[in-house]
């Protein structure tokens, strides 16, 4: 099944542009099938290449921290009270 054959929208709080939500979703759930035509589609929808790279960087950094935290069986930094 191709991720490019599905249509619809993600649940969102509406605080981020749809393209940002799509990039984060794809990077977290199916990074191995990100294709150039998909990225080009984001750029055609108005996302700049700098916004794409920045979104990737934030998503991947967050994913790495969350994955490591789960591997260590530690509470999420977001769930700790300050």
């Amino acid at each position: 099944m191709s991720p490019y054959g599905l249509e619809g929208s993600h649940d969102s709080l509406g605080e981020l542009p749809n393209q940002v939500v799509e990039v984060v979703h794809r990077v977290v759930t199916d990074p191995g099938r990100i294709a150039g035509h998909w990225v080009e589609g984001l750029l055609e929808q108005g996302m700049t290449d700098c916004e794409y790279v920045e979104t990737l960087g934030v998503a991947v950094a967050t994913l790495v921290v969350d994955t490591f935290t789960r591997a260590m069986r530690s509470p999420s930094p977001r769930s700790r009270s300050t």
Side-chain angles (χ1 to χ4, degrees), residues 13 15 23 29 36-37 43:
L13 297 175
E15 296 179 20
V23 170
T29 63
H37 66 86
L43 299 176

Side-chain angles (χ1 to χ4, degrees), residues 34-67:
I34 292 175
H37 66 86
W38 177 76
V39 176
E40 290 168 6
L42 292 170
L43 299 176
E44 289 171 5
Q45 294 173 30
M47 180 176 250
T48 67
D49 54 352
C50 291
E51 289 170 329
Y52 176 71
V53 170
E54 187 72 21
T55 302
L56 279 178
V58 171
V60 170
T62 303
L63 179 62
V64 168
V65 171
D66 285 350
T67 302

Side-chain angles (χ1 to χ4, degrees), residues 65-66 69-70 73-81:
V65 171
D66 285 350
T69 300
R70 279 194 302 274
R73 298 181 184 205
S74 297
S76 168
R78 292 174 291 200
S79 66
R80 296 181 187 147
S81 60

